Amino acid sequence: MTVVADATVLIYLAKIDRLDLLDALFDCALVPEAVYEEVVTRGREQGYADALAIDDATDAFLDVRSLSGDANDRATAIEDSTDLGRGEVAAIALALVEDARCLVDDHAARRSAESLGVAVGGTIYVLLEALQAGHVSHDEYVDLLEALDESGFRMSAQLYRQAVEAGEEVEK
């Protein structure tokens, strides 16, 4: 399966030191150039350690893509009809043309992607997939959810409970 990652997914996987899951779980992990510029170029300028980890991952397994042709046209159409940021727009447009799952955490971006027929997932989806594939144990999965929360990831108590329950279902 091919995935297209937006900024928040990359940032939070880097914060919990699990960017490697994108390589382990998916055939191809794409990053739009707009997202790369947001998290790596500007991130390095501001001294974020996450930016260095993401940059290293682009050297190893993340494939940075610029939008052209149909993807660029779709991005323009999405941008004109939503209030989403350029990175989110680029991720959705690239996922559309690549027939890929869009990894995005922002609720409005998820709704926009789904309205266009794009399959979505987010940071928690990646962790749950890692649990299902046996890349992490149930205890590690819960620890990673806690690490996400501690790193500033926006997660309500209800979402946390749902994520833990989904992990428990995998274990059955």
Side-chain angles (χ1 to χ4, degrees):
M1 172 193 318
T2 298
V3 294
V4 177
D6 185 36
T8 55
V9 174
L10 295 172
I11 291 167
Y12 283 101
L13 288 175
K15 284 182 182 288
I16 63 171
D17 198 28
R18 292 314 309 253
L19 277 168
D20 63 299
L21 293 174
L22 295 175
D23 187 35
L25 293 168
F26 306 110
D27 299 324
C28 183
L30 305 176
V31 176
E33 192 171 59
V35 171
Y36 179 86
E37 290 172 10
E38 180 182 340
V39 297
V40 176
T41 305
R42 281 187 248 145
R44 288 180 78 125
E45 289 170 0
Q46 296 175 7
Y48 292 126
D50 314 327
L52 299 174
I54 296 165
D55 197 22
D56 287 346
T58 60
D59 291 338
F61 58 86
L62 294 176
D63 185 2
V64 178
R65 296 269 179 97
S66 59
L67 299 186
S68 60
D70 190 32
N72 196 49
D73 294 344
R74 288 180 185 252
T76 300
I78 295 166
E79 194 167 37
D80 290 346
S81 65
T82 67
D83 290 329
L84 300 177
R86 186 65 186 162
E88 293 161 335
V89 166
I92 294 168
L94 187 57
L96 267 169
V97 300
E98 294 289 336
D99 193 27
R101 180 176 297 273
C102 188
L103 300 178
V104 60
D105 288 318
D106 180 79
H107 185 68
R110 291 172 73 99
R111 279 196 332 260
S112 293
E114 288 171 337
S115 75
L116 294 169
V118 175
V120 298
T123 306
I124 294 172
Y125 164 83
V126 173
L127 298 180
L128 190 58
E129 288 292 305
L131 175 62
Q132 289 174 331
H135 292 290
V136 299
S137 69
H138 184 266
D139 288 345
E140 289 170 305
Y141 170 76
V142 173
D143 289 347
L144 289 169
L145 289 173
E146 290 174 10
L148 269 182
D149 186 49
E150 291 168 5
S151 68
F153 184 79
R154 289 183 169 181
M155 177 172 28
S156 66
Q158 179 183 359
L159 178 57
Y160 178 82
R161 277 192 311 277
Q162 289 172 336
V164 169
E165 288 169 5
E168 290 168 354
E169 286 299 313
V170 169
E171 288 299 294
K172 290 183 179 179

